[in-house]
Amino acid sequence: MLMKELKNFIMQKNIVDTAKQAMQRAIEHELDLKSLFPLSATSSATFHIADFGCSIGPTTFMSVQNIIEAVNHNNNQASTTKLPLEFQVSFNDQTNNDFNTLFRSLPAHRHDNYFAAGVPGSFYGRLFPTSSLHLGSISSSLHWISRVPGELTAAGRRDSIQCTGLDEDVARAYSGQFTRDMEAFFDARAEELVSGGLLAISALCLPAGAVLAQTGLEEKLKSFYLPMYYPQAEELEASITKKRCFSIRKLVKMAPPSPEKSQKLIQTSASQIRAVSEAIIKQHFKTITPDSVDLIFERLKEKLAENMHAITSPTTLHHLEVFILAKRL
Ligand SMILES: C[S@@+](CC[C@H](N)C(=O)[O-])C[C@H]1O[C@@H](n2cnc3c(N)ncnc32)[C@H](O)[C@@H]1O
């Protein structure tokens, strides 16, 4: 499991790097500041950005910076008067996220028109007032579905700790939960985004026809499920457009990181994987001691070194890194 998480972490860092250009171009092209702020030629205009599933940084800060640069670029290109923009940036994650660590590491030298706030709660429900967001961003988080499908836990069915895709019933249950969760996610964002607002989505997806078990190493832990599901890119697209509230303006499938880049990322990753998975492990294995948790993450470092070749091998089937820019209609 941890090896899989490790591979995913490498993808998360990479996805923000590689999505940068596609995202900036798409935002610059699609954003219509004049129609979002028709009356704000001289008074200040607050551009509200939300990052959903921000974790503790630093990737979220990179994403937000990329977005702000794109919005400023768009504003500077305007043929008429430049808007006096200020940025309200809302960082969202689950209530048990370590927001203190997040805010302690906010970029110290951010511009003085960049205001940060934390918004705790599940992104599968409403988090912001109606028509109050101009741009939402979500990176490497949509595979965290809201729950392990109820029918599996009720029936005691298991495939692995997550959906490997090898057992058809389990895969169907996960896919169903993913579809319901995506509907909840896009319904909530459709309410929160202003008309003409944008949603930038970076996600890890499976290549068409592939199942998760083909993409890396799997270990069986008999009583531990993770609410994770990697969709095929087409499943995600269908969820976005289903209710006709959003249109997809850009979709880019990006190349996985090079073996050299993966190796570099691996070296800094163990502590960040701990940040994401420690709370889940503690919640499930309620009596686990702090020493045992430390031991798990020490073992992770060792396994990391042992399995470097499998993670970085060009023959391993890789996830697709997908960037999508959707526009609220
Ligand atoms: C893999 S991290 C991604 C962090 C960051 N966005 C990045 O690109 O590196 C996934 C984050 O999504 C958060 N998350 C998962 N489900 C969530 C939910 N329902 N609502 C809000 N945040 C959620 C997790 O707590 C975790 O911090």
Side-chain angles (χ1 to χ4, degrees):
M1 185 280 284
L2 291 173
M3 296 309 294
K4 177 69 76 183
E5 271 300 285
L6 174 64
K7 261 188 101 211
N8 294 348
F9 172 75
I10 295 166
M11 306 295 267
Q12 283 157 32
K13 289 275 292 172
N14 188 61
I15 207 165
V16 170
D17 291 347
T18 47
K20 178 175 176 179
Q21 224 187 23
M23 181 179 79
Q24 288 192 323
R25 283 217 191 107
I27 291 176
E28 285 162 24
H29 190 254
E30 290 297 334
L31 194 67
D32 184 354
L33 285 170
K34 286 284 170 291
S35 69
L36 293 181
F37 300 99
L39 305 173
S40 301
T42 49
S43 59
S44 73
T46 305
F47 191 94
H48 190 180
I49 298 168
D51 188 59
F52 296 94
C54 61
S55 190
I56 57 167
T59 325
T60 185
F61 302 130
M62 291 156 55
S63 295
V64 166
Q65 192 52 41
N66 294 343
I67 290 166
I68 290 178
E69 282 172 19
V71 177
N72 278 332
H73 187 262
N74 178 300
N75 194 22
N76 291 335
Q77 297 298 304
S79 50
T80 49
T81 327
K82 214 175 114 178
L83 289 172
L85 286 181
E86 295 188 317
F87 294 94
Q88 171 69 57
V89 182
S90 296
F91 292 95
N92 155 258
D93 209 292
Q94 302 273 31
T95 47
N96 61 3
N97 186 53
D98 184 355
F99 282 98
N100 286 337
T101 298
L102 175 80
F103 290 125
R104 270 197 290 269
S105 50
L106 259 173
H109 303 297
R110 63 190 188 282
H111 204 272
D112 60 7
N113 67 348
Y114 173 160
F115 301 92
V119 175
S122 171
F123 52 54
Y124 291 121
R126 283 288 299 277
L127 293 165
F128 297 98
T130 306
S131 297
S132 65
L133 279 183
H134 298 104
L135 197 150
S137 152
I138 181 160
S139 177
S140 308
S141 301
L142 277 181
H143 57 281
W144 282 102
I145 54 177
S146 65
R147 60 197 291 253
V148 172
E151 57 267 48
L152 293 185
T153 40
R157 288 292 305 272
R158 53 189 94 254
D159 174 5
S160 165
I161 59 166
Q162 56 181 331
C163 177
T164 63
L166 294 177
D167 181 314
E168 276 183 25
D169 290 343
V170 173
R172 201 173 307 112
Y174 268 92
S175 169
Q177 185 64 46
F178 177 78
T179 305
R180 290 189 290 280
D181 283 343
M182 290 309 104
E183 186 164 338
F185 180 86
F186 290 108
D187 280 356
R189 303 300 81 81
E191 295 290 332
E192 295 165 351
L193 280 158
V194 297
S195 173
L198 301 176
L199 196 51
I201 302 158
S202 299
L204 299 176
C205 296
L206 296 175
V211 298
L212 186 70
Q214 295 169 302
T215 63
L217 305 171
E218 282 298 325
E219 286 173 11
K220 301 248 177 201
L221 267 183
K222 293 276 184 241
S223 64
F224 186 44
Y225 285 117
L226 279 177
M228 291 169 85
Y229 177 75
Y230 292 93
Q232 302 199 357
E234 292 69 22
E235 279 178 279
L236 183 55
E237 281 178 70
S239 293
I240 297 171
T241 51
K242 188 171 171 189
K243 299 257 182 96
R244 302 183 198 284
C245 289
F246 290 98
S247 76
I248 294 180
R249 308 306 270 244
K250 178 111 189 160
L251 190 153
V252 187
K253 293 181 181 168
M254 287 163 293
S258 65
E260 299 73 46
K261 191 165 180 193
S262 296
Q263 288 204 5
K264 249 197 204 154
L265 291 167
I266 282 173
Q267 280 145 22
T268 56
S269 57
S271 60
Q272 309 225 19
I273 292 170
R274 183 170 186 158
V276 176
S277 46
E278 183 173 357
I280 297 172
I281 291 171
K282 282 183 177 162
Q283 194 187 11
H284 182 77
F285 300 103
K286 291 196 168 40
T287 55
I288 196 165
T289 63
D291 284 353
S292 304
V293 176
D294 289 344
L295 193 62
I296 289 174
F297 291 100
E298 279 309 310
R299 292 284 305 280
L300 169 65
K301 277 192 206 150
E302 289 164 22
K303 287 195 126 203
L304 206 62
E306 280 165 25
N307 290 280
M308 184 84 88
H309 63 283
I311 297 167
T312 58
S313 165
T315 57
T316 305
L317 181 60
H318 291 287
H319 289 81
L320 290 177
E321 300 180 23
V322 176
F323 170 73
I324 299 174
L325 189 79
K327 192 165 202 163
R328 176 71 172 96
L329 297 171

